[in-house]
Amino acid sequence: MEVPPEMLDALAGWFAQTLSPDAAARRAAEQSLSSAASSPGFALALLALASSPRHDLQARLAASVYFKNELRRRWPKPSPDSPDDASDNNLPATDCAIVKTHILNLLLTAPPLIQSQLSEALAAAAAADFPAKWDSLLPSIVASLGTALSTGDVPAANSLLAAAASLFARFRNAFDTNTLRIDLKYCLEGFAAPLLEVFLSTSRRLHSSAANPLELRPVFDCLRLCSEIFHSLNSVDLPEFFEDHMREWMTEFRAFLTTSYPPPVEADGAPDALRAAVCDNLQLYMEKYEEEFRGYLKEFVEAVWGLLMAPTVSPSRGQLAVTAIRFLTTVAESVHHALFGTPDAMKQICDSVVVPNLRLRDEDEESFEVNWVEYVRRDAEGSDTDTLRRAACRLLRGLAANYREQVAALVSAQVQQMLAAYAADRANNWKEKDAAIYLVIALMQKPGATGGGTPVVDMESFFASVIVPELQAADWQSEPMLKATVLRFLKEFKDQIPKATALALLPSVTRFLTHESNVVHSYAAIFIENLLITKDVVQVPGASVVTRTSRYVAADISSFAQQIIQSLSTALNYPDSYENPYLMKCLMRVLGIATIAGQIVHEITARLVGILMEVCNNPKNPDFNHYLFESLAAVIGKAGEQDPALVPLFEASLFPVLQRILVEDISEFWPYAFQIFAQLVNLSQPPLSQNYMQLFGVLLSNATWDRPPCVPALVRLLRAFLRKIPNELNQEGRLPNILVIFRSLVSRASTEDSAFYMLNTLVQNVGFDTMSPHIGEIWSTLFTRLQTRQAVKFVNSLVVLMSLVSVKYGPGVLVSSVDTVQPSLFTTILQRFWIPNLKLIKGSLEIKLTTVASTKLLCESAVLLDAAAAQTWGKLLDSIVALFSRTDQDGAQEQNDGADAADSQRTSGYSVSFVRLQYAGKSEDDLLKEVNDPKQFLVTSLASLSAQSPGRFGPVIEQHVDPANKGALLQLCAAYNANIV
């Protein structure tokens, strides 16, 4: 694997520049890496740099991360759904072969930080190729593991086990399929016995070793990795090998839990990390293999319980406690709950496990002050990482499932005791009140939750006496952690707070938006944002369906909006909150609901544009930036529609920053910029300004469409232009350019939706005289694609487009234009695709369009009214009625009101991708506004047609319409007082 030294030096230099504070240097380096990535051998160069001892460790680490991401993105993956969409960006087969040859050996010699990245890279490649296309991997790991074991090289064994752990992690969460079980069987046959050998050998070494933490750390790590692999290999089913050797595994597991090591060893944290992995395995067996595990259960419950009671100096005890409590919770919720059922046991759990782990600890206070983002993520959002507080409360809820009254009495007494302690010394005992509120949050029933909750306090009294005083306190800046918990209480029970009460408290909550604590003003923003999307269930009069309507509308919050907006703007100036996603999401929601006008529109627009200018220098927070663009879209949409005179203000404010995004190639923001441009075009009145026409010219350049993530946003923008300037498409070759783009988009499954959206907009806005020279070419392209692409999504889109042509230009134009491609082709398409797929159409506008178009074909098309087409006529009617019947069974559809805007942008890092701006969207045009009810349109049209030829269509319906659909048709005729004669 020879890579020229100058190439390695260039790569190392680029990676160093990606960390530069200079945005220009950083982007230049990123561009250089992006350009080099398309060259053959790039992945090998990354691997060579990661393993090169002569280069800086930071550059090597960056190369290993980039290498891992390259393998995740470009390692060839089978695509059975769309074989014609095989990526041209895949790594060359020769590169893949060399990576397979060298990665394991390089992993063994790499430093630990790089080793972990290479392990994940190996797993990324193995996810596609192992074991079928990489049968040498597992034997190589096993052979190298045997060598490491025989020589006593524990660090080398750990490197191999880490690779195996990454390899087998797929079995933990994958769907249980025959293919998965075949792969698991292969892994068990090759690895289960060597794993046990390593585990027992290393365990013996631990028991006989001197208590030197530096010597024991790799030993504990080895046992932890063995335990993690144990979990992966046992996740799908209980393998026969592990069942046969359960005693050996469980004996060692119990020894790890019950053995105390010297303080220096415990202080290292490695023993607790091993114990946490063991507790995860105990929980797995308790949940999935309880019958086989029950003989060990009592001794493990005692061991885990004893572990939680024991004092420790370990820095890892927090995570161990979470996993240990989770295991006890699983037991408490099982048929073995009687192990905790005695009053003494329950009191001991409450006093010795729950309450100590519920109270705030020093590390919680430190996290609150120093790492507020992680604190909020874990506490308010309920992240994947459990907190001790959450785990302790879950244990109580598990006990309450079988001992509700006993738990309620214990917790109620504990809450009262905590509140009394706070009342006796408010300054020093505020943590007691915090813990009491947390207990109530944890155990009271939330709307929509299952399990009934455990009533520990009178909620109305608790709210009035405990929560409201904190919200209205004069010293609202004091005890920030307590204030945060109070605000979290509001968020958890927002549905149960009467509307009038919530609105009365809103000014008090709003002042917390300017609290100096990042957590407190974040929690205030989270509550307000959650409050504004609260919905009420409303019964539809005279129907058996319900709808969900927003509880708070513009009239409710508009009087508060200016103060909320100004407070949020203030908080965004605070240290470490200038890119606070919770503040920006709250601002987005307020701007999307409230009615704002006048000076506040100017101020908030300028503020948002200023923030955007700043983040353009270094886009690093995807969530914040998404909510920022949503906020811009919200203020543009709401204010611009109410006052068109504001549109020039928005253009003047936004054009410079949007142009900067395009000119400086800030690729992360391109999809957003195009959507904002589309929104501005939609709000503008023709004739469009020169700036827009220049943008239109850029839009019609093929190069603009070369970035797949931008395509949906570009289509939005193109559709906006087509609505505004349809009569200018014949100028400067614009329409042929659009059709070139269309052909490119429709050729790929990933962009075919965009191609159809583009065509639909063309048909909606452009007259047939303009489209006529090109429509045959369009049908030819689509039908050629149809020969190899008959997926439901594609065919449904084709039916919708053809329906649109029929409604806009007339059924005769549809039939004749299709038949120009090939004689009688329309009838073939109708029989093979339109009729079978019509009943699968979704979307209210799409259903209305396709049923009306189909009705017009039935009643107006000469092709279908020909006596020879009677069967086709009947089958088309059958599909129309079947579609109506299905939509009736589906019930009412809840409309998307933007309440979920931006929640889709949840990423751990940046990749250029399209995320729809909900507030920038334009409602779809209904070409059939004159048709209020497509069912009525069907039966009245049929009645009128049959009246012209009495007795002709009844027999056709009798012969070719399904009996169930025939009954449904008769019901529709009766409902609308129409007769088919």
Side-chain angles (χ1 to χ4, degrees), residues 305 337-349 403 406 410:
W305 195 325
H337 57 77
L339 288 169
F340 305 114
T342 65
D344 287 346
M346 227 172 301
K347 189 171 189 322
Q348 191 176 6
I349 286 176
Y403 306 100
Q406 297 94 313
L410 279 170

Side-chain angles (χ1 to χ4, degrees), residues 541-662:
S544 59
V545 296
V546 296
T547 61
R548 292 171 61 81
T549 60
S550 296
R551 182 180 297 180
Y552 300 92
V553 295
D556 297 318
I557 68 157
S558 291
S559 59
F560 305 106
Q562 183 165 348
Q563 185 57 51
I564 295 174
I565 291 169
Q566 289 174 343
S567 297
L568 288 166
S569 183
T570 298
L572 285 165
N573 284 323
Y574 287 176
D576 298 326
S577 263
Y578 56 87
E579 291 189 26
N580 184 324
Y582 307 106
L583 297 177
M584 190 55 72
K585 188 177 185 182
C586 181
L587 180 58
M588 169 200 78
R589 196 70 67 202
V590 173
L591 293 172
I593 296 176
T595 300
I596 61 171
Q599 185 60 28
I600 189 68
V601 176
H602 295 258
E603 292 174 0
I604 195 58
T605 302
R607 182 81 169 97
L608 292 171
V609 169
I611 294 172
L612 179 54
M613 275 291 191
E614 185 63 32
V615 298
C616 279
N617 295 327
N618 184 17
K620 63 179 183 294
N621 190 327
D623 288 346
F624 175 84
N625 294 330
H626 182 78
Y627 299 138
L628 170 59
F629 279 101
E630 284 283 9
S631 297
L632 280 166
V635 72
I636 293 168
K638 292 277 288 187
E641 288 175 5
Q642 291 163 8
D643 183 3
L646 288 171
V647 174
L649 160 72
F650 295 138
E651 292 173 347
S653 299
L654 283 160
F655 263 56
V657 68
L658 295 178
Q659 288 172 341
R660 178 187 173 191
I661 289 169
L662 300 184

Side-chain angles (χ1 to χ4, degrees), residues 494-544:
K494 66 183 187 304
D495 296 298
Q496 294 164 256
I497 302 173
K499 182 175 179 177
T501 303
L503 291 174
L505 288 173
L506 202 50
S508 297
V509 176
T510 300
R511 66 177 176 167
F512 284 106
L513 291 173
T514 58
H515 196 286
E516 61 187 13
S517 164
N518 299 94
V519 175
V520 172
H521 60 241
S522 296
Y523 275 31
I526 290 169
F527 165 66
I528 294 173
E529 193 273 331
N530 276 256
L531 185 75
L532 296 183
I533 60 172
T534 305
K535 291 181 179 293
D536 291 319
V537 176
V538 178
Q539 183 74 39
V540 176
S544 59

Side-chain angles (χ1 to χ4, degrees), residues 113-356:
L113 283 175
I114 294 173
Q115 205 172 76
S116 63
Q117 300 299 325
L118 294 183
S119 288
E120 292 183 39
L122 185 150
D129 286 9
F130 177 79
K133 298 179 182 178
W134 200 351
D135 54 8
S136 64
L137 178 57
L138 193 60
S140 297
I141 292 176
V142 171
S144 299
L145 200 54
T147 302
L149 191 63
S150 63
T151 59
D153 189 348
V154 178
N158 289 349
S159 299
L160 294 159
L161 289 170
S166 296
L167 201 64
F168 302 143
R170 58 183 287 225
F171 297 122
R172 293 195 179 203
N173 301 310
F175 288 109
D176 187 0
T177 63
N178 287 336
T179 302
L180 184 79
R181 285 183 175 259
I182 290 170
D183 290 351
L184 176 59
K185 182 174 183 290
Y186 170 82
C187 295
L188 287 166
E189 289 173 350
F191 204 77
L195 177 67
L196 179 60
E197 183 183 356
V198 172
F199 179 70
L200 294 176
S201 172
T202 309
S203 186
R204 287 191 295 270
R205 181 169 183 158
L206 173 65
H207 299 323
S208 63
S209 235
N212 183 334
L214 293 178
E215 292 179 5
L216 289 183
R217 178 69 190 234
V219 176
F220 278 112
D221 286 345
C222 183
L223 293 168
R224 174 183 54 78
L225 287 164
C226 288
S227 300
E228 290 173 357
I229 294 171
F230 175 97
H231 192 291
S232 297
L233 295 179
N234 281 268
S235 290
V236 176
D237 206 345
L238 179 58
E240 183 179 350
F241 180 88
F242 285 95
E243 186 173 4
D244 292 344
H245 294 275
M246 190 182 297
R247 170 61 61 184
E248 293 157 271
W249 284 98
M250 295 303 158
T251 299
E252 298 304 319
F253 284 167
R254 187 174 182 278
F256 302 149
L257 297 178
T258 55
T259 303
S260 295
Y261 300 96
V265 177
E266 292 283 358
D268 179 61
D272 275 353
L274 169 59
R275 292 168 183 142
V278 169
C279 287
D280 279 336
N281 289 332
L282 299 182
Q283 174 155 340
L284 174 69
Y285 267 53
M286 186 62 216
E287 288 177 337
K288 299 193 69 171
Y289 317 122
E290 179 268 337
E291 184 175 347
E292 294 84 357
F293 182 60
R294 68 173 58 189
Y296 302 94
L297 181 58
K298 189 173 185 298
E299 65 185 69
F300 274 116
V301 167
E302 292 172 353
V304 171
W305 195 325
L307 200 59
L308 289 169
M309 304 292 183
T312 181
V313 292
S314 169
S316 303
R317 183 51 56 102
Q319 186 53 40
L320 169 60
V322 168
T323 57
I325 293 171
R326 192 188 301 142
F327 166 66
L328 295 182
T329 303
T330 304
V331 177
E333 293 172 340
S334 74
V335 295
H336 303 284
H337 57 77
L339 288 169
F340 305 114
T342 65
D344 287 346
M346 227 172 301
K347 189 171 189 322
Q348 191 176 6
I349 286 176
C350 188
D351 293 345
S352 303
V353 177
V354 174
V355 172

